[in-house]
Amino acid sequence: MSVFSNFFSRKENDGEDDISIDVEQEAASVPINQNEAMYTAPVEEPLWGAAARWSVYFIALLAPLWFLPITENPVDGNKIFFVSILTLIGCVTWLGMTVHGGAVRIPRFMPMYALGVWLIVYLLATLFSVSPETSLWGSSPASFFHLLIGGMLAFLVSVALRTTQTVRTAHALILISAGVVSLFLVVQSILGFDIFPWEFAKARTFNPAGQWNAVGIFLGFILVSMFPFLAGSARLSLLKRSFFMILLLFVLVGTVTVNYRLVWLDIALISIVYLAYAYSRASGQRRMQYAMGPLLFLFVSIMFFLSQDIVNLFYSSLNPPIDVTPSVSSSWRVAEQVFRERPILGVGPNEFGYAWDRFKDPAVNTTVYWRLQFATASSFVTTLLTTTGILGFLAFLVFIGSLLWSGLLLLGKLQPDNPEHQYVSALFFGLLFLISSWFFYPLTVITSVFAFLLLGLFAAELNAAGIVPHRVFIIQGDSTKGFFIALITVFLMVVCVVGLYIRSRKQVAAIEYGRGVEAFLARNAVNEAENFFRRAVVLDNTRYEYYDAITQTSSIKLQRVLENAANQPAEELRESFQIALSSAIASAQTATEVNPGNAMGWRLLGQVYEMVVPLVGGSAEAAVNAYAEAITRAPTDPLLRNDIARIYMIQGDYVKAREALEEAIRLKADYAAAHFRLAQIAIIKGNVDDAINSTERAALSAPEDVGVLFQLGLLYYQKNRYDDARLIFERTTQLNENYSNARYFLGLIYAIKGERDLAIGQFERIQALNPDNAEVRAILENLRAGEEPLTGITPPLTRAEPPVSKEGKEIEQEGVLEESQPDDASASAEE
């Protein structure tokens, strides 16, 4: 390992004297206290210390590469478990080393204290969250537990790596890992070779480091952390220089392959800061020598930032995924609304989705993303405003401010050609890049882990080089203070062991859940899937997703019981019905208790009650109550108004149904389901002519309102006024080419008029927009066979829902069990 740890080191110092720097203006002047005088570092590192150090090494090398195909989130889910376990093991072994050595040695680095303050405030936001369990144990890297793991990792690195040699070994392992990530990009994304056999890993944009743009951020961090070594690489041996240049080339190619615009902007900004540092600390020929590399990267990053459209032409075959997050303006609007209700601590970590549902701008309903519940704002920083409130955001700014203050003081005293100082500046600029990514991108596992890892390496390097001091606490058996230190140390060891146990249980639960998802999607084995989900709940009862999955499988079983009622004995039918219904209701209710702020959990409960409205007394009222609870949590979601209107229609309360549907249309003017149901109400009430007259007046006052036009076309269609309906639907599709339901009825009219080719054209367009719709496929088969389009298909106006559930390119919020499931027959994009 020494080959890599000394990779950038050189013996000569070009006449420059090594200097000791005092970042906090205390290192050189603070007298050694009695504890420090009494403390003597062990000559040989104990086994405890080696275990802690190797935990850090494994994280540095394997965190970007680690994934397992055993859960529903094979990359990030398993990566964060890997880091959590190694961090907890490392902390336990380090605490064991302190007990063994009789002393606790901690760097006196101000940003680490500020990080502790931020984590305490984060804990308060968790305790007062709208859903404390979700905020505490959520699977995202922004949950309190995982952010605490990040803080523990930073602390572990700062205390476990005691020498510059160990810090540089960890840094070299990060570079090796980045080289493998870059090589993976070249082989799979550019050359198109599949490296792993699993289906999810065969996508051209798959990478074990994580999401596509997160990979770009990781590689961008590697690039800027190599700035200090660019000038000194000429003095390395041929082998080391070749390795350095190959690594640099691969990382640059990987960054270009991802081609994330904001990464180039961040590289440009860091390049400017580094150039200012190089110009201020070097002179003459050395100034240009140290500025040449970063200056080149500045120009390259500006070129790629300004030439995104041109560069993307060469990577069109990759079809990179679009990160869909709210716009900055929408994120701020949600934060403003949260400040009015919960200004101090926000809604709680991991609960941005709750705030989004409650406070999103109704204008979002005009976009293709209106069905999505966003789990994060436009960036991690804008998410913090909503989830941790003013207090949490200020604590975060204190942490960032202390880090910037310490780093900028440090830069003013470093020498660019001093090998030790090169490592210090490399770690600082890499850390600055990762932290700055939090301001423009949501928090991901890879960016979170390496930000905290770099913070720990930065503190460890400063401490090992004598730049910042350390504090020593001696554990003495005859001292009250020593007793309490020993007691706290042992207590923390126990806490870490308990954390290991709990986190391991949750990981096993995630594995069981993943097996259930695989059984359901791959084999349609509902009973087997439900058994796996129930095992997951036994191991981890804090994840509402597990209860939702049980609700869905129980609902499927309930539906099958109802479909096969004629073939079962009465007693057996009654027992099967009660078991399936009880299971579905119990799991749905528990999901609402685990995460009471989740509107979709209440909607799922309402859907369960709705299934048995004709069979169980009081179920209609229970469904209405559940949908009403969902509406209070997502008041701008038109989907929920349509749900509750459906129950009102079943109850025969058409006045309330119309009110709910009109509210849905107010929230989303082109909402096909609401217009469809209003037309059905007019048909049921026998006042189609009156409805036509009022809708015609509405169309005259709003001639480009596609929702009103669609409703008018439906009414014409019902009255067999096909010529009028044809004109209306053609106008509707001109205004909105992706209005699939309008094209559906237009295609039927073409078929009625004998214009079969035009009808086929309409349904082919619908199929292109909704490739999984089985009914559209059946209609096309009928038309091509010369039959009536609705042969074997229920007429559309007699159904409860419009024939096409999704308009055009709308993105639906689907559960894991709904992925890849076809419809039955009956970015970063910003909005």
Side-chain angles (χ1 to χ4, degrees), residues 649 672-673 675-681 683-684 710 713-714 717-718 720 722 729 740-749 752 763 766 773 775-776 779 788-805 825-826:
M649 289 178 67
H675 288 287
F676 180 84
R677 210 171 295 286
L678 280 175
Q680 285 186 321
I681 291 176
I683 295 168
I684 293 171
F710 175 67
L714 288 176
Y717 181 89
Q718 172 64 20
N720 298 330
Y722 297 124
F729 287 132
S740 298
N741 280 293
R743 289 190 178 278
Y744 180 97
F745 286 97
L746 181 58
L748 293 182
I749 292 171
I752 292 171
F763 284 103
I766 298 171
N773 192 294
E775 179 176 335
V776 173
I779 291 175
E788 292 298 317
L790 295 179
T791 301
I793 299 173
T794 305
L797 285 179
T798 63
R799 301 186 219 153
E801 299 292 341
V804 183
S805 62
S826 10

Side-chain angles (χ1 to χ4, degrees), residues 726-752:
R726 173 176 181 162
L727 292 174
I728 293 298
F729 287 132
E730 286 177 342
R731 175 61 177 162
T732 304
T733 56
Q734 288 172 2
L735 293 171
N736 185 348
E737 294 182 352
N738 295 330
Y739 211 121
S740 298
N741 280 293
R743 289 190 178 278
Y744 180 97
F745 286 97
L746 181 58
L748 293 182
I749 292 171
Y750 285 151
I752 292 171

Side-chain angles (χ1 to χ4, degrees), residues 552-661:
Q552 293 180 58
T553 53
S554 297
S555 298
I556 292 172
K557 292 163 68 174
L558 179 61
Q559 185 65 38
R560 291 179 178 177
V561 169
L562 297 177
E563 290 173 353
N564 298 322
N567 302 323
Q568 297 184 57
E571 188 62 31
E572 182 180 338
L573 174 64
R574 186 181 303 107
E575 182 179 354
S576 300
F577 178 83
Q578 289 177 346
I579 292 174
L581 179 60
S582 299
S583 174
I585 292 176
S587 56
Q589 287 177 335
T590 307
T592 62
E593 294 167 2
V594 171
N595 190 1
N598 183 23
M600 291 303 103
W602 289 99
R603 182 179 186 236
L604 188 59
L605 177 60
Q607 289 173 335
V608 172
Y609 285 125
E610 186 177 354
M611 289 179 63
V612 295
V613 165
L615 304 172
V616 179
S619 55
E621 290 76 11
V624 167
N625 292 335
Y627 288 138
E629 290 286 348
I631 289 173
T632 61
R633 289 158 177 80
T636 60
D637 190 348
L639 196 68
L640 300 174
R641 311 284 178 170
N642 180 58
D643 289 335
I644 202 167
R646 195 168 53 241
I647 303 299
Y648 287 144
M649 289 178 67
I650 294 174
Q651 292 177 316
D653 193 341
Y654 296 108
V655 174
K656 287 186 177 180
R658 177 177 288 276
E659 290 174 353
L661 294 170

Side-chain angles (χ1 to χ4, degrees), residues 441-710:
Y441 197 76
L443 190 68
T444 65
V445 174
I446 194 72
T447 56
S448 173
V449 168
F450 276 87
F452 288 115
L453 179 63
L454 260 287
L455 176 62
L457 288 175
F458 187 48
E461 174 70 19
L462 294 176
N463 182 245
I467 296 175
V468 298
H470 58 263
R471 184 184 295 273
V472 176
F473 299 94
I474 302 297
I475 302 176
Q476 297 175 327
D478 56 351
S479 165
T480 302
K481 182 178 179 180
F483 168 76
F484 280 109
I485 293 174
L487 184 64
I488 293 172
T489 301
V490 175
F491 172 76
L492 291 176
M493 289 182 69
V494 174
V495 169
C496 288
V497 171
V498 172
L500 273 169
Y501 172 74
I502 294 175
R503 189 61 184 86
S504 298
R505 277 181 63 102
K506 290 181 177 296
Q507 182 65 11
V508 176
I511 293 172
E512 293 294 323
Y513 178 66
R515 294 174 68 186
V517 171
E518 191 272 336
F520 183 85
L521 294 180
R523 302 190 297 276
N524 196 28
V526 177
N527 290 328
E528 181 183 0
E530 185 172 315
N531 289 335
F532 284 125
F533 297 147
R534 292 191 181 281
R535 293 180 196 173
V537 165
V538 170
L539 293 166
D540 182 6
N541 60 2
T542 64
R543 291 281 301 276
Y544 70 90
E545 296 94 335
Y546 300 167
Y547 292 103
D548 283 351
I550 294 174
T551 302
Q552 293 180 58
T553 53
S554 297
S555 298
I556 292 172
K557 292 163 68 174
L558 179 61
Q559 185 65 38
R560 291 179 178 177
V561 169
L562 297 177
E563 290 173 353
N564 298 322
N567 302 323
Q568 297 184 57
E571 188 62 31
E572 182 180 338
L573 174 64
R574 186 181 303 107
E575 182 179 354
S576 300
F577 178 83
Q578 289 177 346
I579 292 174
L581 179 60
S582 299
S583 174
I585 292 176
S587 56
Q589 287 177 335
T590 307
T592 62
E593 294 167 2
V594 171
N595 190 1
N598 183 23
M600 291 303 103
W602 289 99
R603 182 179 186 236
L604 188 59
L605 177 60
Q607 289 173 335
V608 172
Y609 285 125
E610 186 177 354
M611 289 179 63
V612 295
V613 165
L615 304 172
V616 179
S619 55
E621 290 76 11
V624 167
N625 292 335
Y627 288 138
E629 290 286 348
I631 289 173
T632 61
R633 289 158 177 80
T636 60
D637 190 348
L639 196 68
L640 300 174
R641 311 284 178 170
N642 180 58
D643 289 335
I644 202 167
R646 195 168 53 241
I647 303 299
Y648 287 144
M649 289 178 67
I650 294 174
Q651 292 177 316
D653 193 341
Y654 296 108
V655 174
K656 287 186 177 180
R658 177 177 288 276
E659 290 174 353
L661 294 170
E662 288 174 348
E663 178 63 17
I665 292 170
R666 187 189 66 80
L667 295 169
K668 181 174 173 59
D670 62 345
Y671 187 27
H675 288 287
F676 180 84
R677 210 171 295 286
L678 280 175
Q680 285 186 321
I681 291 176
I683 295 168
I684 293 171
K685 299 293 288 183
N687 55 1
V688 177
D689 292 333
D690 291 340
I692 288 175
N693 292 334
S694 61
T695 309
E696 285 175 338
R697 289 193 296 270
L700 286 174
S701 62
E704 294 189 355
D705 188 325
V706 293
V708 172
L709 293 174
F710 175 67

Side-chain angles (χ1 to χ4, degrees), residues 756-757 759-768 773-790 793:
R756 192 169 293 272
D757 290 340
I760 290 175
Q762 291 299 317
F763 284 103
E764 285 178 341
R765 180 62 186 274
I766 298 171
Q767 187 176 47
N773 192 294
E775 179 176 335
V776 173
R777 287 198 301 269
I779 291 175
L780 280 171
E781 291 174 2
N782 290 338
L783 288 171
R784 289 164 181 160
E787 299 178 357
E788 292 298 317
L790 295 179
I793 299 173

Side-chain angles (χ1 to χ4, degrees), residues 26 65 168 182 184 195 206 227 236 255 258 260 292 306 326 345 402 412 453 499 506 539 646 673:
E26 294 182 1
L65 309 175
R168 294 170 192 184
S182 302
F184 190 98
I195 298 177
F206 170 79
F227 283 176
L236 298 173
T255 308
V258 176
Y260 183 29
M292 185 61 66
L306 298 176
L345 293 171
S402 67
L453 179 63
K506 290 181 177 296
L539 293 166
R646 195 168 53 241

